[in-house]
Structures are given as structure tokens and as C-alpha cells.
């Protein structure tokens, strides 16, 4: 299989104008795979995870696991892992700095060793992203926590079940709590938890491993056990990749059929796409056809919220879409405080966007124009690809390693639908 990983300075060159048509298979979910891979630290028994996408974030997670002593190998879409003999409880800075989700090793390491040393993730391009909720939970479960030389040190004489209310809803915070408490004997209660499909996928895995977990509204009841078993699990389809291709179909006036997609996970996205003029049809074989059902793209207002609300991970892609809508739209980002960096790049392509605090006002323009733009984070990069697909002329997107983190072979998939997109090694043109 061709390697997806190459130089951080690679670029994509896109000739805009093609109407995308055909079938595309959506990969397994990145944000499901990550916590599930870390769950394998909780057992000495072998585990296998199916549908794991080949992405830079996954490579980084597997290299952290290897550093901790987990043996793993990949056969096609499946990863086989054994954490029988772990050799370290430390997640070093070189790996955490490349992938913030490394913090998901904290819960399992604390459960397994009663100790963990994990580099502080620090700031990131989409905001400050603190880990205070993770730490509060670990303290409540009996861990002493200190921060020294940029590392969070956790240690516990013994761990106990907790009753804990999250101050804010956090996806990886909920996942870290689930990972730890599933391995702690006794009954824990967590309130105000995240209920993203990826969290529910992790719950399925932890149940297979032997934990008893029940969810009602935003409350989780966990009956943990230190004797967790190995598991086999197939991860859910990536709803953000699916949503991105849906936007591509609408923007390019195309007709794309997506395979391996769960529409239930995309309800809020589909409802906005329909408002904007998309036709969405579930076909008898389970695939989903997305096409333009109107002569133009209509404006709409988008408010990002925790699931089941509109996902922050689709906000940038909608900004591209609404840039060429017939009228004015407002996009309010409620989850992250600094997630509008794509606005400046889209503006360089001709979009008319002004930012007022956490709201972006997007006045639709007739057309976008190709130019050189820079990726700033994963979803921002996806929005630039979408813009490039409809822009007049050539768009060169620099620093596309962000896309390698979260979209499996996006260039190949887009080419198979008729797009003109090439990867250039290094700075290229
Ligand atoms: N927050 C805190 N304290 C905490 C934890 C979070 O203040 O202890 C804040 C964050 O700063 C943010 C909000 O709470 O303002 C929500 O953050 P959350 O913890 O839910 O985000 P995350 O778990 O770090 C995951 C996904 C992100 C996705 C968000 C929101 C993974 C590995 N990452 O991040 O995915 O945007 O949930 O849905 O699951 C992506 O795939 O591009 C991506 C960034």
C-alpha cells in the first residue's frame, strides 16, 4: 500500500471546475479509532480493531503505543495489538506534540500502572484546549497530580470509583474518564458527559472488554473491573469525512454516492445541507447519494454545538460552502475560541467574510479564485480543498500534512470522482 505520510511541506495543486460524480467509500472514524486503540492498554489479552484509517494521527498513536510496549501490526484495514508486556508509563513530548489525542493514554496508563507521566499538550492552532477536566476526574479517582517540566505526573496508591460532574462537555475528557473507570472496581457515575458517536463507539468496546456501562441523557453509570478482556471491534464510519464529501458534492453541483456512512450520525449536517439546496437519498444498498436539488446554493446560519448539535469539525467546510451561497450566512463557533483561521485564506480566494467575536458573517460571492493558500489545521485544510474544487484557475494548498492527519487518501478519492488534484512533493511550484 502506498504510504500516506510524506514531507510536511507537500502541497496540493487543484484545478477548479470539475463536477464530482461517482461512488466513494468513507473510511473508519479517526476519532473513534484513537480512543479504541488506547483502550488496548487496559488488557493483557490480544485485541483487534477493524476499519482503522491510514492516517498520520493513527501512525502517531501506534508509535506512542509501541513506545509504551504495545506490539501491533496492520493487515489492510485491521490493526492487531497486544499490550501484554508494557515497558513504560510515559508519553513523551515528541509524540504528544504531534498529536494531542495522546492524552488519551493518561486514563489507561493510570489504570494499568497507577502511574502516568504525559507531556502537557500545550496550545494548539484551534485554541487553548486545556485538560483541567481530565485532571479533576483523575484527582477525584484518587490520583495525585502535579505538573513538572511540562509533564503531567499522575500517581495513585489506589484508585476508587467516582461520582463526578463535568463542568463542561468534553469528548476526550469523557473518553479518558471511561477508559480509567472501566478498569476501577465499583460503580462510578459521570454527569454532563459527551455523547458523540465516537464516545458511544468506545463504550461498545469497553462493554466487550467486560465493563458494565449505561447511558441515560448525559449521565453514565460505569461498573468497572480490573479484569478487562481482549476484544474485536469494527469502528464506525467517519462522519466528518462523509460530511466533507457531501459538501463537495453540493458545492461542485456534483452527484456523489457515499458508501460506509451512518446518516443518523449526520442528522444536523444533513439538515443544514438540505437547507442549502442538497438532495440526500439513502439507497437500498445503504449507500447515500448527495446531489444539488436546486439551481443555486442557499445561505443558512450555523451554530456549532456538542453532539447532537452541528459539529465544530464541519464548521470550516460549511464556511467554504456558504462563501458561494446566494446571500448572507452567519456561522457561530461555540466550541473552540480560535477556529476561524481558514476565513483569512478563503478571503484570499475571493470570499467575503468578516469575523465578529465568535461569529463569522459570510456574504456569498459569485465565484472564488485560485491562489496559494496555507493549511492551518485539519478541518481548515479541508475547507481550502473544497474551495479549490470550485475556484476559477489553480489553487495551491501548502502544508497539507494537516490533511494527512485526518483524511485518508483524500486526493485519490477526489480524483476518482473526477477532480483535478495533484500532490506535489516539497514546495513544488
Ligand atoms: N475543554 C476544557 N477543559 C478540558 C477539556 C476541554 O476547557 O479539560 C474545552 C476545550 O478547550 C474546548 C471544549 O472544551 O473549548 C471542547 O473540547 P473537547 O475536549 O470536547 O475536544 P477534544 O476532546 O480535545 C475532540 C475531537 C476534536 C473535536 C472536538 C469537539 C478527538 C481526538 N478530537 O477534541 O476533533 O473537534 O472533540 O467535537 O476526538 C478533529 O478531528 O479535527 C478534531 C479537532
Amino acid at each position: 500500500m502506498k504510504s500516506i505520510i510524506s514531507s510536511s511541506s507537500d502541497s496540493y495543486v487543484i484545478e477548479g471546475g470539475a463536477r464530482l460524480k461517482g461512488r466513494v467509500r468513507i473510511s473508519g472514524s479517526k476519532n473513534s479509532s484513537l480512543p479504541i486503540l488506547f483502550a488496548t492498554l487496559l488488557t493483557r489479552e490480544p485485541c483487534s480493531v477493524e476499519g482503522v484509517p491510514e492516517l498520520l494521527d493513527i501512525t502517531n498513536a501506534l508509535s506512542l503505543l509501541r513506545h509504551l510496549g504495545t506490539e501491533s501490526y496492520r493487515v489492510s484495514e485491521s490493526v492487531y495489538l497486544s499490550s501484554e508486556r508494557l515497558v513504560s508509563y510515559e508519553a513523551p513530548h515528541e509524540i504528544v506534540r504531534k498529536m494531542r489525542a495522546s492524552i488519551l493514554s493518561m486514563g489507561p496508563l493510570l489504570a494499568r500502572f497507577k502511574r502516568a507521566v504525559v507531556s502537557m499538550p500545550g496550545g494548539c492552532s484551534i485554541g487553548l484546549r486545556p485538560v483541567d477536566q481530565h485532571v479533576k476526574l483523575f484527582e477525584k479517582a484518587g490520583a495525585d497530580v502535579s505538573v513538572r517540566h511540562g509533564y503531567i505526573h499522575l500517581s495513585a496508591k489506589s484508585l476508587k470509583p467516582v461520582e463526578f460532574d463535568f463542568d463542561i462537555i468534553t469528548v476526550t475528557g469523557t473518553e479518558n474518564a471511561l477508559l480509567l473507570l472501566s478498569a476501577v472496581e465499583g460503580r462510578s457515575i459521570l454527569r454532563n458527559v459527551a455523547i458523540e458517536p465516537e464516545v458511544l463507539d468506545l463504550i461498545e468496546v469497553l462493554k466487550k472488554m467486560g465493563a458494565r456501562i449505561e447511558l441515560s441523557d448525559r449521565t453514565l453509570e460505569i461498573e468497572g473491573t480490573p479484569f478487562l478482556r481482549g476484544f474485536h471491534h469494527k469502528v464506525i464510519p467517519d462522519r466528518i469525512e462523509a460530511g466533507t464529501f457531501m459538501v463537495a458534492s453540493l458545492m461542485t453541483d456534483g452527484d456523489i454516492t457515499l458508501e460506509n456512512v451512518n446518516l443518523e450520525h449526520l442528522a444536523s449536517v444533513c439538515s443544514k445541507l438540505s437547507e442549502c439546496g442538497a438532495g440526500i437519498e439513502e439507497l437500498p444498498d445503504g449507500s447515500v447519494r448527495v446531489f444539488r436539488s436546486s439551481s443555486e446554493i442557499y445561505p443558512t446560519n450555523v451554530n456549532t454545538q456538542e453532539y447532537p448539535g452541528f459539529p465544530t469539525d464541519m464548521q470550516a467546510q460549511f464556511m467554504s460552502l456558504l462563501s458561494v451561497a446566494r446571500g448572507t450566512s452567519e456561522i457561530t463557533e461555540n466550541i473552540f475560541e480560535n477556529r476561524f483561521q481558514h476565513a483569512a485564506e478563503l478571503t484570499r480566494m475571493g470570499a467575503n467574510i468578516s469575523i465578529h467575536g465568535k461569529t463569522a458573517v459570510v456574504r456569498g460571492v459569485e465565484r472564488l479564485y485560485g491562489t496559494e493558500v496555507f493549511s492551518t489545521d485539519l478541518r481548515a485544510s479541508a475547507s481550502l480543498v473544497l474551495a479549490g474544487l470550485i475556484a476559477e484557475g489553480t489553487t495551491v494548498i501548502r502544508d497539507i500534512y494537516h490533511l494527512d492527519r485526518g483524511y485518508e487518501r483524500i486526493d485519490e478519492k477526489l480524483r476518482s470522482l473526477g477532480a483535478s488534484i495533484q500532490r506535489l512533493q516539497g514546495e513544488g511550484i
Side-chain angles (χ1 to χ4, degrees):
M1 187 174 292
K2 208 171 94 187
S3 166
I4 46 129
I5 316 301
S6 85
S7 153
S8 65
S9 58
D10 282 4
S11 307
Y12 277 138
V13 180
I14 304 176
E15 293 297 331
R19 293 170 68 178
L20 302 194
K21 292 196 169 131
R23 293 178 80 87
V24 66
R25 188 164 183 281
I26 299 304
S27 302
S29 159
K30 164 179 86 80
N31 288 347
S32 250
S33 299
L34 290 168
I36 290 171
L37 290 175
F38 286 112
T40 63
L41 290 169
L42 293 168
T43 177
R44 290 168 192 276
E45 295 183 14
C47 304
S48 57
V49 193
E50 200 181 323
V52 181
E54 264 205 274
L55 299 170
L56 201 50
D57 270 10
I58 299 292
T59 309
N60 284 328
L62 291 173
S63 66
L64 173 54
L65 286 166
R66 225 178 343 270
H67 169 87
L68 299 171
T70 303
E71 289 174 7
S72 66
Y73 62 95
R74 180 187 267 278
V75 180
S76 178
E77 288 183 5
S78 293
V79 178
Y80 299 83
L81 306 101
S82 165
S83 297
E84 190 181 0
R85 280 182 291 271
L86 293 186
V87 294
S88 170
Y89 49 77
E90 182 172 326
H93 183 63
E94 308 87 87
I95 302 178
V96 179
R97 130 187 114 70
K98 289 189 205 145
M99 189 197 48
R100 195 177 181 283
S102 307
I103 52 165
L104 287 167
S105 61
M106 263 198 287
L109 287 175
L110 185 59
R112 186 90 180 248
F113 288 101
K114 306 233 167 21
R115 296 192 72 161
V117 178
V118 176
S119 174
M120 290 278 284
C124 80
S125 61
I126 59 172
L128 284 172
R129 300 180 84 180
V131 288
D132 57 301
Q133 298 298 305
H134 306 236
V135 166
K136 257 180 152 173
L137 179 281
F138 294 141
E139 283 180 320
K140 190 98 197 250
D144 287 326
V145 182
S146 62
V147 177
R148 299 197 294 276
H149 307 294
Y151 279 77
I152 307 174
H153 293 250
L154 306 169
S155 65
K157 286 200 183 63
S158 65
L159 291 161
K160 53 177 195 277
V162 301
E163 202 170 324
F164 183 81
D165 291 38
F166 284 98
D167 300 326
I168 46 145
I169 296 174
T170 154
V171 174
T172 48
T174 302
E175 290 167 347
N176 241 336
L178 275 160
L179 288 162
L180 174 68
L181 298 170
S182 294
V184 173
E185 185 90 62
R187 181 165 159 272
S188 290
I189 295 178
L190 299 175
R191 296 194 190 87
N192 200 27
V193 298
I195 51 169
E196 267 63 6
E198 296 76 20
V199 175
L200 303 195
D201 211 22
L202 174 65
I203 291 176
E204 283 311 302
V205 166
L206 293 168
K207 283 179 166 173
K208 287 179 185 174
M209 296 179 83
R212 288 182 24 208
I213 304 174
E214 270 173 42
L215 172 70
S216 70
D217 299 324
R218 284 195 182 271
T219 300
L220 276 171
E221 225 179 284
I222 306 162
E223 187 78 44
T225 165
F227 306 106
L228 292 169
R229 298 186 292 268
F231 64 88
H232 168 77
H233 187 75
K234 182 172 181 194
V235 299
I236 56 172
D238 197 303
R239 64 191 166 108
I240 306 301
E241 188 198 4
T244 305
F245 277 97
M246 287 175 157
V247 173
S249 191
L250 177 56
M251 280 180 85
T252 64
D253 195 1
D255 192 339
I256 301 181
T257 298
L258 310 174
E259 294 166 7
N260 191 36
V261 53
N262 185 334
L263 272 189
E264 260 176 48
H265 297 164
L266 282 155
S268 61
V269 172
C270 288
S271 121
K272 284 292 159 191
L273 283 171
S274 306
E275 268 181 48
C276 294
I280 301 171
E281 253 177 40
E282 192 159 11
L283 303 178
D285 66 356
S287 60
V288 174
R289 179 177 166 227
V290 184
F291 53 97
R292 176 99 61 93
S293 66
S294 59
S295 56
E296 57 197 15
I297 295 171
Y298 300 117
T300 187
N301 296 331
V302 170
N303 260 290
T304 65
Q305 296 290 349
E306 294 86 2
Y307 190 84
F310 186 92
T312 172
D313 290 345
M314 282 301 299
Q315 178 258 105
Q317 299 88 320
F318 264 68
M319 193 176 283
S320 281
L321 170 68
L322 297 173
S323 291
V324 287
R326 176 63 61 94
T328 300
S329 309
E330 285 191 6
I331 302 179
T332 303
E333 173 55 58
N334 296 301
I335 306 295
F336 291 112
E337 73 274 18
N338 187 25
R339 211 178 193 182
F340 280 147
Q341 292 178 74
H342 39 285
E345 299 302 297
L346 290 172
T347 302
R348 297 189 58 249
M349 295 179 74
N352 182 346
I353 304 167
S354 52
I355 309 286
H356 309 271
K358 55 183 193 170
T359 299
V361 178
V362 185
R363 293 184 177 82
V365 295
E366 197 73 16
R367 132 170 337 106
L368 297 176
Y369 298 92
T371 185
E372 181 187 35
V373 286
F374 286 83
S375 295
T376 48
D377 70 69
L378 170 55
R379 307 305 170 184
S381 314
S383 78
L384 299 179
V385 170
L386 292 169
L389 290 172
I390 56 151
E392 193 176 299
T394 309
T395 301
V396 180
I397 307 178
R398 304 289 190 198
D399 295 342
I400 56 168
Y401 65 93
H402 292 288
L403 281 160
D404 294 337
R405 288 189 37 228
Y407 287 90
E408 194 175 37
R409 295 190 292 277
I410 190 169
D411 51 342
E412 275 177 38
K413 288 189 184 185
L414 287 170
R415 265 196 306 277
S416 77
L417 296 168
S420 164
I421 175 169
Q422 304 301 329
R423 186 174 188 124
L424 282 192
Q425 307 270 306
E427 293 291 311
I429 56 172

